[in-house]
Amino acid sequence: YPAYVAVPSSAGKHPGIVLLHSFNGLEPGYKVLCDRMATDVFVVIAPEWQTFGRQAGDPEVEDIVRSSITVLKTRQDVDAQKLGLTGFCAGGRFTMLLLPQFKDFGAGVAFYGFPYSRGNTNNTTPAEHIGELSAPILVIHPSRDLASPISGIYNYTKELDAADKYYV
């Protein structure tokens, strides 16, 4: 699958990040963001998960994230013990869904998302995996996003609290 990779200019081992784009694809702004993250000494891989269709299913995205982890772990400039996951919109949903399931990640950041969406081909929601969450998660969500209502995030954080999970 195609992916955009950004690397720091400094030598040594750096933390690695898998960045998942929104429904609109790997737009130029995501590449700029990857480049900026690289200046902060992160190695970033942004897979084009929509390569296999605008509405890729959860199993396909899971495989792409698994491949991205493998790529990061095989790079000489990545500290394989310091991996993170981030995503925007649909990528935020995938972050909430996959962070609990992939123990390779030490943290995750979901920029908005859909914690109660079942996606296109999966029968589970991200919220159903809260019990498996062992890494901290930061959820950043606007209060007036009509496509992804803030009420879903409020409910999600209540469930995170009830399960004694670390989030911000």
Side-chain angles (χ1 to χ4, degrees), residues 77-163:
D77 56 355
V78 173
D79 181 343
Q81 301 303 309
K82 295 181 179 178
L83 300 181
L85 177 64
T86 190
F88 299 80
C89 191
R93 177 192 174 271
F94 287 125
T95 298
M96 290 181 239
L97 179 70
L98 299 175
L99 184 64
Q101 298 180 60
F102 285 70
K103 301 309 176 194
D104 303 276
F105 295 119
V109 180
F111 288 88
Y112 39 107
F114 308 89
Y116 296 97
S117 170
R118 295 195 182 281
N120 296 308
T121 59
N122 194 336
N123 292 326
T124 62
T125 67
E128 292 174 65
H129 292 278
I130 287 174
E132 302 163 52
L133 185 64
S134 58
I137 186 168
L138 170 62
V139 180
I140 299 173
H141 196 286
S143 61
R144 295 184 185 191
D145 183 343
L146 298 178
S148 174
I150 189 73
S151 61
I153 299 301
Y154 288 148
N155 290 335
Y156 182 67
T157 59
K158 287 178 187 176
E159 288 191 51
L160 289 168
D161 271 337

Side-chain angles (χ1 to χ4, degrees), residues 43-58:
V43 175
V44 185
I45 185 168
E48 292 189 47
W49 58 265
Q50 287 178 317
T51 300
F52 304 104
R54 179 161 168 77
Q55 296 186 357
D58 293 352

